Amino acid sequence: DIGFAAPIICRSTVQGRHLISDDNGYVCSALSIDPWSRCCPRTGGRFSCQGCNLDSQCCNSYEYCVSCCLNPSRTKEADVLKLKVAKPVTAGTYTNIFDFCMGRCRHSSASVVHENAYLSDFHHCFLVQQNSSGSTESNFGSRLDGINVILGRQGESCSSACRAKGQSCVPSRLAELNKCQILQKYMRCKNGCFPSLGPDQPAEVVDEAPKNLNPGACLYMQMDDRLTCDGSHRHTRRLCPCA
């Protein structure tokens, strides 16, 4: 019997008008993709991080974000496959790394919330949420012993929110609140929970915010060393550790 090799078929992104990333980690122009296999030519670098800041794991283009994210040395399959696609308990988990990378790179709120306070032009982020690593709520609770978790008013800093309760903000405990499962415990987060880059985080975008600011989304700060009690934003409510 004569056997025939099964045709190679790739999945690819469709967001960009000029560039495409396939599920093998290659990026190519929309005109150079193979029309039958939907694969990019394997002439360029695989898992390219062109235009990416590897410290924040954010990129200035969607396609290179997906390509960089697909690198198994940066994104561990075991971490990705247990993440929920959305907040509701009925939501499914990601079935593969490509779906995770396409979704995560597309939906970073860092590009839309602080319209006048960007730290950089890198709005497409693929950081795996450490807050979804499987740690139990009881572990977080023990780290918050003696802490009064307060939901601030719209546009209010944690320093102000704690002071209104006769307490002080505890900056060393901000990192314990800077996790999706903690945000979702105290806030609705009805439009999801995303990494961002703002001094007001962790926080939730208020429902009355302009639609392009992703109302109802919860945001956590990608860099714990930039967390501060003094930050605020006119369209968010902060989650604050007071004592």
Side-chain angles (χ1 to χ4, degrees):
D1 294 337
I2 299 177
F4 294 93
I8 298 175
I9 303 295
C10 294
R11 296 180 63 201
S12 57
T13 59
V14 293
Q15 178 164 317
R17 297 170 59 185
H18 306 293
L19 292 177
I20 287 177
S21 176
D22 67 22
D23 59 359
N24 287 315
Y26 291 96
V27 177
C28 61
S29 70
L31 295 177
S32 65
I33 195 168
D34 188 293
W36 299 104
S37 69
R38 301 300 298 169
C39 297
C40 285
R42 301 191 177 190
T43 53
R46 192 180 186 190
F47 307 131
S48 173
C49 296
Q50 178 178 317
C52 297
N53 181 325
L54 297 183
D55 290 331
S56 65
Q57 296 185 31
C58 296
C59 308
N60 59 14
S61 77
Y62 173 70
E63 290 74 23
Y64 281 105
C65 176
V66 173
S67 173
C68 192
C69 172
L70 287 171
N71 190 331
S73 69
R74 300 188 186 283
T75 306
K76 305 299 183 184
E77 185 175 28
D79 293 335
V80 166
L81 298 187
K82 62 188 177 186
L83 295 179
K84 284 187 175 292
V85 176
K87 180 196 171 186
V89 294
T90 55
T93 55
Y94 290 100
T95 58
N96 55 68
I97 291 180
F98 188 60
D99 284 340
F100 166 82
C101 292
M102 285 198 301
R104 183 54 53 86
C105 288
R106 182 180 297 119
H107 292 300
S108 171
S109 296
S111 63
V112 296
V113 174
H114 300 296
E115 65 274 20
N116 295 317
Y118 291 141
L119 294 180
S120 71
D121 291 328
F122 303 100
H123 342 301
H124 303 281
C125 304
F126 59 90
L127 183 71
V128 175
Q129 298 176 4
Q130 295 176 350
N131 25 0
S132 299
S133 62
S135 299
T136 64
E137 188 174 302
S138 61
N139 288 337
F140 291 125
S142 65
R143 298 170 195 164
L144 292 172
D145 286 345
I147 296 296
N148 186 19
V149 179
I150 297 294
L151 179 60
R153 294 174 298 178
Q154 180 176 341
E156 186 177 38
S157 71
C158 280
S159 295
S160 177
C162 293
R163 190 162 50 244
K165 299 292 184 180
Q167 298 182 318
S168 299
C169 178
V170 184
S172 63
R173 290 296 179 267
L174 279 168
E176 304 304 329
L177 303 184
N178 193 43
K179 308 174 191 296
C180 281
Q181 56 262 61
I182 297 296
L183 283 163
Q184 290 164 352
K185 177 180 177 181
Y186 292 95
M187 298 170 160
R188 290 179 298 165
C189 304
K190 63 182 182 181
N191 280 340
C193 184
F194 305 107
S196 189
L197 294 169
D200 61 310
Q201 289 141 33
E204 181 180 39
V205 184
V206 297
D207 291 341
E208 298 76 22
K211 290 185 178 180
N212 66 312
L213 302 187
N214 203 2
C218 285
L219 309 172
Y220 69 91
M221 181 63 163
Q222 296 182 66
M223 304 176 189
D224 281 357
D225 60 348
R226 300 198 182 199
L227 291 167
T228 173
C229 289
D230 298 324
S232 64
H233 190 278
R234 62 194 179 102
H235 291 304
T236 65
R237 299 182 68 189
R238 295 199 63 178
L239 192 63
C240 307
C242 306

